[in-house]
Short mmCIF file of all heavy atoms in Angstrom, two decimals:
data_model
loop_
_atom_site.label_atom_id
_atom_site.label_comp_id
_atom_site.label_asym_id
_atom_site.label_seq_id
_atom_site.Cartn_x
_atom_site.Cartn_y
_atom_site.Cartn_z
N ALA A 281 24.62 20.09 43.28
CA ALA A 281 23.86 18.99 43.89
C ALA A 281 24.78 18.12 44.74
O ALA A 281 24.39 17.67 45.83
CB ALA A 281 23.19 18.15 42.79
N LYS A 282 25.98 17.89 44.25
CA LYS A 282 26.93 17.04 45.00
C LYS A 282 27.25 17.68 46.35
O LYS A 282 27.24 17.02 47.39
CB LYS A 282 28.21 16.86 44.17
CG LYS A 282 29.14 15.84 44.73
CD LYS A 282 30.25 15.52 43.77
CE LYS A 282 31.17 14.49 44.42
NZ LYS A 282 32.42 14.36 43.72
N ILE A 283 27.53 18.97 46.33
CA ILE A 283 27.85 19.67 47.59
C ILE A 283 26.65 19.65 48.53
O ILE A 283 26.78 19.45 49.74
CB ILE A 283 28.29 21.13 47.30
CG1 ILE A 283 29.58 21.15 46.51
CG2 ILE A 283 28.44 21.92 48.60
CD1 ILE A 283 29.97 22.53 45.96
N ALA A 284 25.45 19.83 47.96
CA ALA A 284 24.24 19.89 48.80
C ALA A 284 23.73 18.49 49.17
O ALA A 284 22.80 18.36 49.97
CB ALA A 284 23.14 20.66 48.07
N GLY A 285 24.31 17.44 48.57
CA GLY A 285 23.87 16.08 48.86
C GLY A 285 22.50 15.77 48.27
O GLY A 285 21.71 15.04 48.87
N LEU A 286 22.23 16.31 47.09
CA LEU A 286 20.92 16.12 46.45
C LEU A 286 21.05 15.26 45.20
O LEU A 286 22.09 15.27 44.53
CB LEU A 286 20.31 17.48 46.07
CG LEU A 286 20.09 18.44 47.23
CD1 LEU A 286 19.69 19.82 46.72
CD2 LEU A 286 19.02 17.91 48.19
N ASN A 287 19.99 14.53 44.88
CA ASN A 287 20.01 13.70 43.67
C ASN A 287 19.71 14.54 42.43
O ASN A 287 18.95 15.50 42.48
CB ASN A 287 18.96 12.59 43.77
CG ASN A 287 19.39 11.55 44.79
OD1 ASN A 287 20.58 11.33 45.01
ND2 ASN A 287 18.41 10.93 45.43
N VAL A 288 20.32 14.10 41.31
CA VAL A 288 20.14 14.82 40.03
C VAL A 288 19.28 13.97 39.10
O VAL A 288 19.53 12.77 38.92
CB VAL A 288 21.51 15.08 39.37
CG1 VAL A 288 21.33 15.77 38.02
CG2 VAL A 288 22.39 15.94 40.28
N LEU A 289 18.30 14.62 38.49
CA LEU A 289 17.49 13.95 37.46
C LEU A 289 18.10 14.31 36.11
O LEU A 289 18.22 15.50 35.78
CB LEU A 289 16.06 14.47 37.51
CG LEU A 289 15.31 14.32 38.83
CD1 LEU A 289 14.02 15.13 38.80
CD2 LEU A 289 15.02 12.85 39.09
N ASP A 290 18.47 13.32 35.33
CA ASP A 290 19.07 13.60 34.02
C ASP A 290 18.01 14.16 33.07
O ASP A 290 16.82 13.84 33.18
CB ASP A 290 19.63 12.31 33.41
CG ASP A 290 20.87 11.87 34.15
OD1 ASP A 290 21.58 12.75 34.68
OD2 ASP A 290 21.13 10.65 34.19
N THR A 291 18.49 14.95 32.13
CA THR A 291 17.59 15.44 31.08
C THR A 291 18.19 15.07 29.73
O THR A 291 19.41 14.91 29.60
CB THR A 291 17.41 16.97 31.13
OG1 THR A 291 18.70 17.59 31.05
CG2 THR A 291 16.73 17.41 32.40
N SER A 292 17.33 14.93 28.75
CA SER A 292 17.84 14.73 27.39
C SER A 292 17.09 15.69 26.48
O SER A 292 16.00 16.18 26.83
CB SER A 292 17.65 13.28 26.93
OG SER A 292 16.31 12.90 27.13
N ARG A 293 17.66 15.96 25.34
CA ARG A 293 17.07 16.98 24.45
C ARG A 293 17.46 16.70 23.02
O ARG A 293 18.44 16.02 22.74
CB ARG A 293 17.54 18.37 24.86
CG ARG A 293 19.03 18.56 24.75
CD ARG A 293 19.51 19.79 25.45
NE ARG A 293 19.05 19.92 26.83
CZ ARG A 293 19.52 19.21 27.86
NH1 ARG A 293 20.47 18.29 27.67
NH2 ARG A 293 19.05 19.36 29.07
N ARG A 294 16.68 17.24 22.13
CA ARG A 294 17.02 17.24 20.72
C ARG A 294 16.23 18.36 20.05
O ARG A 294 15.38 18.98 20.67
CB ARG A 294 16.73 15.88 20.07
CG ARG A 294 15.28 15.51 20.02
CD ARG A 294 15.10 14.09 19.49
NE ARG A 294 13.71 13.68 19.53
CZ ARG A 294 12.79 13.97 18.62
NH1 ARG A 294 13.13 14.68 17.56
NH2 ARG A 294 11.55 13.56 18.73
N ARG A 295 16.54 18.60 18.80
CA ARG A 295 15.81 19.61 18.01
C ARG A 295 14.96 18.89 16.98
O ARG A 295 15.42 17.95 16.34
CB ARG A 295 16.79 20.51 17.27
CG ARG A 295 17.58 21.44 18.16
CD ARG A 295 16.96 22.82 18.22
NE ARG A 295 17.69 23.67 19.16
CZ ARG A 295 17.26 24.86 19.57
NH1 ARG A 295 16.11 25.34 19.15
NH2 ARG A 295 17.96 25.57 20.41
N PHE A 296 13.74 19.33 16.82
CA PHE A 296 12.93 18.86 15.70
C PHE A 296 13.52 19.45 14.42
O PHE A 296 14.26 20.44 14.47
CB PHE A 296 11.48 19.31 15.88
CG PHE A 296 10.76 18.60 16.99
CD1 PHE A 296 10.52 19.23 18.21
CD2 PHE A 296 10.32 17.29 16.82
CE1 PHE A 296 9.86 18.56 19.23
CE2 PHE A 296 9.66 16.62 17.85
CZ PHE A 296 9.43 17.25 19.05
N PRO A 297 13.16 18.86 13.28
CA PRO A 297 13.76 19.35 12.01
C PRO A 297 13.54 20.83 11.78
O PRO A 297 14.36 21.49 11.15
CB PRO A 297 13.06 18.50 10.94
CG PRO A 297 12.65 17.25 11.65
CD PRO A 297 12.33 17.67 13.07
N ASP A 298 12.46 21.40 12.30
CA ASP A 298 12.20 22.83 12.07
C ASP A 298 12.83 23.73 13.12
O ASP A 298 12.59 24.94 13.15
CB ASP A 298 10.69 23.09 12.01
CG ASP A 298 9.98 22.66 13.28
OD1 ASP A 298 10.66 22.23 14.24
OD2 ASP A 298 8.73 22.75 13.35
N GLY A 299 13.63 23.16 14.02
CA GLY A 299 14.33 23.98 15.01
C GLY A 299 13.67 24.02 16.37
O GLY A 299 14.26 24.53 17.33
N GLU A 300 12.44 23.52 16.48
CA GLU A 300 11.79 23.51 17.80
C GLU A 300 12.53 22.56 18.73
O GLU A 300 13.16 21.60 18.28
CB GLU A 300 10.32 23.07 17.66
CG GLU A 300 9.47 24.10 16.95
CD GLU A 300 8.03 23.63 16.76
OE1 GLU A 300 7.67 22.53 17.24
OE2 GLU A 300 7.25 24.36 16.12
N GLN A 301 12.42 22.82 20.04
CA GLN A 301 13.15 22.00 21.01
C GLN A 301 12.26 20.90 21.60
O GLN A 301 11.05 21.10 21.77
CB GLN A 301 13.65 22.88 22.16
CG GLN A 301 14.57 24.00 21.73
CD GLN A 301 15.17 24.73 22.91
OE1 GLN A 301 15.85 24.12 23.75
NE2 GLN A 301 14.94 26.02 22.99
N TYR A 302 12.91 19.80 21.95
CA TYR A 302 12.26 18.70 22.67
C TYR A 302 13.11 18.42 23.90
O TYR A 302 14.34 18.36 23.79
CB TYR A 302 12.19 17.44 21.79
CG TYR A 302 11.82 16.18 22.54
CD1 TYR A 302 10.50 15.78 22.62
CD2 TYR A 302 12.81 15.40 23.15
CE1 TYR A 302 10.17 14.62 23.32
CE2 TYR A 302 12.48 14.25 23.85
CZ TYR A 302 11.15 13.86 23.94
OH TYR A 302 10.82 12.73 24.62
N VAL A 303 12.49 18.27 25.08
CA VAL A 303 13.26 17.86 26.26
C VAL A 303 12.52 16.74 26.99
O VAL A 303 11.31 16.56 26.83
CB VAL A 303 13.47 19.03 27.27
CG1 VAL A 303 14.25 20.16 26.67
CG2 VAL A 303 12.15 19.51 27.84
N ARG A 304 13.28 15.99 27.76
CA ARG A 304 12.69 14.94 28.60
C ARG A 304 13.46 14.89 29.91
O ARG A 304 14.69 14.98 29.92
CB ARG A 304 12.76 13.60 27.88
CG ARG A 304 12.11 12.49 28.63
CD ARG A 304 11.68 11.34 27.74
NE ARG A 304 10.88 10.43 28.54
CZ ARG A 304 11.40 9.45 29.27
NH1 ARG A 304 12.70 9.23 29.25
NH2 ARG A 304 10.62 8.69 30.01
N VAL A 305 12.73 14.79 31.02
CA VAL A 305 13.37 14.70 32.34
C VAL A 305 13.15 13.28 32.86
O VAL A 305 12.01 12.81 32.92
CB VAL A 305 12.75 15.72 33.32
CG1 VAL A 305 13.44 15.65 34.68
CG2 VAL A 305 12.83 17.14 32.74
N ASP A 306 14.24 12.61 33.22
CA ASP A 306 14.16 11.23 33.72
C ASP A 306 13.91 11.21 35.22
O ASP A 306 14.54 11.97 35.95
CB ASP A 306 15.48 10.49 33.48
CG ASP A 306 15.67 10.15 32.02
OD1 ASP A 306 14.65 10.08 31.30
OD2 ASP A 306 16.83 9.96 31.61
N GLY A 307 13.07 10.30 35.67
CA GLY A 307 12.92 10.10 37.11
C GLY A 307 11.59 10.59 37.63
O GLY A 307 10.87 11.33 36.97
N ASP A 308 11.31 10.17 38.88
CA ASP A 308 10.02 10.43 39.49
C ASP A 308 10.08 11.72 40.31
O ASP A 308 10.87 11.82 41.25
CB ASP A 308 9.65 9.24 40.39
CG ASP A 308 8.26 9.38 40.98
OD1 ASP A 308 7.52 10.28 40.53
OD2 ASP A 308 7.93 8.60 41.89
N VAL A 309 9.26 12.69 39.95
CA VAL A 309 9.27 13.97 40.68
C VAL A 309 7.99 14.18 41.50
O VAL A 309 7.83 15.22 42.12
CB VAL A 309 9.44 15.17 39.71
CG1 VAL A 309 10.78 15.14 39.02
CG2 VAL A 309 8.30 15.25 38.70
N ARG A 310 7.10 13.18 41.46
CA ARG A 310 5.80 13.39 42.10
C ARG A 310 5.95 13.81 43.56
O ARG A 310 6.68 13.19 44.33
CB ARG A 310 4.97 12.09 42.01
CG ARG A 310 3.53 12.24 42.51
CD ARG A 310 2.61 11.17 41.94
NE ARG A 310 2.51 11.25 40.49
CZ ARG A 310 1.75 12.11 39.81
NH1 ARG A 310 1.01 12.99 40.46
NH2 ARG A 310 1.73 12.12 38.50
N GLY A 311 5.35 14.94 43.91
CA GLY A 311 5.38 15.42 45.30
C GLY A 311 6.71 16.03 45.73
O GLY A 311 6.88 16.37 46.90
N GLN A 312 7.63 16.17 44.80
CA GLN A 312 8.98 16.66 45.17
C GLN A 312 9.15 18.14 44.83
O GLN A 312 8.55 18.65 43.88
CB GLN A 312 10.05 15.87 44.39
CG GLN A 312 10.01 14.38 44.60
CD GLN A 312 10.72 13.97 45.89
OE1 GLN A 312 11.36 14.80 46.55
NE2 GLN A 312 10.60 12.72 46.25
N ASP A 313 10.03 18.79 45.58
CA ASP A 313 10.49 20.13 45.23
C ASP A 313 11.68 19.95 44.28
O ASP A 313 12.58 19.15 44.56
CB ASP A 313 10.95 20.88 46.48
CG ASP A 313 9.80 21.00 47.49
OD1 ASP A 313 8.69 21.37 47.08
OD2 ASP A 313 10.04 20.70 48.68
N VAL A 314 11.67 20.69 43.19
CA VAL A 314 12.73 20.50 42.18
C VAL A 314 13.42 21.82 41.89
O VAL A 314 12.76 22.84 41.63
CB VAL A 314 12.17 19.91 40.86
CG1 VAL A 314 13.31 19.59 39.89
CG2 VAL A 314 11.35 18.64 41.13
N ALA A 315 14.75 21.80 41.89
CA ALA A 315 15.54 22.97 41.49
C ALA A 315 15.98 22.75 40.04
O ALA A 315 16.64 21.75 39.74
CB ALA A 315 16.77 23.12 42.38
N VAL A 316 15.59 23.66 39.17
CA VAL A 316 15.94 23.55 37.75
C VAL A 316 17.05 24.55 37.44
O VAL A 316 16.83 25.77 37.51
CB VAL A 316 14.72 23.84 36.85
CG1 VAL A 316 15.10 23.66 35.38
CG2 VAL A 316 13.55 22.93 37.21
N PHE A 317 18.24 24.05 37.11
CA PHE A 317 19.36 24.93 36.79
C PHE A 317 19.33 25.27 35.30
O PHE A 317 19.31 24.37 34.45
CB PHE A 317 20.70 24.22 37.09
CG PHE A 317 21.11 24.23 38.53
CD1 PHE A 317 20.34 23.62 39.50
CD2 PHE A 317 22.29 24.84 38.92
CE1 PHE A 317 20.73 23.61 40.84
CE2 PHE A 317 22.70 24.85 40.24
CZ PHE A 317 21.92 24.23 41.20
N GLN A 318 19.33 26.53 35.01
CA GLN A 318 19.45 26.96 33.61
C GLN A 318 20.04 28.37 33.60
O GLN A 318 19.39 29.31 34.08
CB GLN A 318 18.09 26.94 32.90
CG GLN A 318 18.13 27.36 31.43
CD GLN A 318 18.73 26.31 30.50
OE1 GLN A 318 19.82 25.81 30.74
NE2 GLN A 318 18.05 25.99 29.42
N SER A 319 21.23 28.51 33.07
CA SER A 319 21.82 29.83 32.96
C SER A 319 21.32 30.46 31.66
O SER A 319 21.02 29.75 30.71
CB SER A 319 23.35 29.72 32.97
OG SER A 319 23.89 30.94 33.41
N LEU A 320 21.25 31.77 31.63
CA LEU A 320 20.60 32.41 30.49
C LEU A 320 21.56 33.36 29.78
O LEU A 320 21.18 34.45 29.34
CB LEU A 320 19.32 33.12 30.95
CG LEU A 320 18.26 32.14 31.52
CD1 LEU A 320 17.13 32.89 32.19
CD2 LEU A 320 17.71 31.22 30.44
N GLY A 321 22.83 32.92 29.66
CA GLY A 321 23.82 33.74 28.97
C GLY A 321 24.00 33.30 27.53
O GLY A 321 23.84 32.12 27.21
N LEU A 322 24.31 34.23 26.68
CA LEU A 322 24.72 34.02 25.29
C LEU A 322 23.61 33.57 24.33
O LEU A 322 23.62 33.93 23.17
CB LEU A 322 25.90 33.04 25.20
CG LEU A 322 27.20 33.59 25.84
CD1 LEU A 322 28.29 32.52 25.87
CD2 LEU A 322 27.69 34.84 25.12
N ASN A 323 22.69 32.75 24.83
CA ASN A 323 21.61 32.30 23.96
C ASN A 323 20.31 32.31 24.77
O ASN A 323 19.62 31.29 24.85
CB ASN A 323 21.95 30.87 23.50
CG ASN A 323 21.20 30.49 22.27
OD1 ASN A 323 20.43 31.29 21.73
ND2 ASN A 323 21.38 29.25 21.82
N PRO A 324 20.00 33.46 25.40
CA PRO A 324 18.96 33.46 26.44
C PRO A 324 17.58 33.04 25.95
O PRO A 324 16.85 32.37 26.67
CB PRO A 324 18.95 34.91 26.94
CG PRO A 324 19.58 35.72 25.87
CD PRO A 324 20.56 34.81 25.18
N ASP A 325 17.23 33.43 24.73
CA ASP A 325 15.86 33.16 24.28
C ASP A 325 15.63 31.65 24.15
O ASP A 325 14.62 31.10 24.61
CB ASP A 325 15.58 33.86 22.95
CG ASP A 325 15.87 35.36 23.02
OD1 ASP A 325 16.27 35.85 24.10
OD2 ASP A 325 15.74 36.04 22.00
N SER A 326 16.62 30.99 23.56
CA SER A 326 16.52 29.55 23.38
C SER A 326 16.58 28.81 24.73
O SER A 326 15.83 27.86 24.98
CB SER A 326 17.66 29.09 22.47
OG SER A 326 17.66 27.72 22.35
N TYR A 327 17.47 29.28 25.61
CA TYR A 327 17.57 28.65 26.95
C TYR A 327 16.28 28.85 27.75
O TYR A 327 15.90 27.99 28.54
CB TYR A 327 18.76 29.21 27.72
CG TYR A 327 20.11 28.74 27.23
CD1 TYR A 327 21.21 29.59 27.23
CD2 TYR A 327 20.30 27.43 26.80
CE1 TYR A 327 22.46 29.17 26.80
CE2 TYR A 327 21.55 27.00 26.35
CZ TYR A 327 22.62 27.87 26.36
OH TYR A 327 23.86 27.45 25.93
N LEU A 328 15.63 29.98 27.56
CA LEU A 328 14.39 30.23 28.30
C LEU A 328 13.29 29.26 27.83
O LEU A 328 12.55 28.71 28.64
CB LEU A 328 13.93 31.67 28.13
CG LEU A 328 12.63 32.00 28.88
CD1 LEU A 328 12.83 31.90 30.40
CD2 LEU A 328 12.13 33.39 28.51
#
Side-chain angles (χ1 to χ4, degrees):
K282 189 170 179 194
I283 295 170
L286 300 171
N287 289 331
V288 178
L289 302 169
D290 289 331
T291 56
S292 52
R293 61 194 51 74
R294 66 186 175 83
R295 290 263 176 191
F296 289 104
D298 58 4
E300 291 177 4
Q301 301 187 58
Y302 167 93
V303 298
R304 183 157 189 273
V305 182
D306 287 338
D308 185 11
V309 296
R310 186 158 298 280
Q312 302 279 352
D313 301 313
V314 186
V316 182
F317 280 62
Q318 180 74 309
S319 204
L320 297 169
L322 294 173
N323 200 1
D325 306 358
S326 176
Y327 287 144
L328 180 65

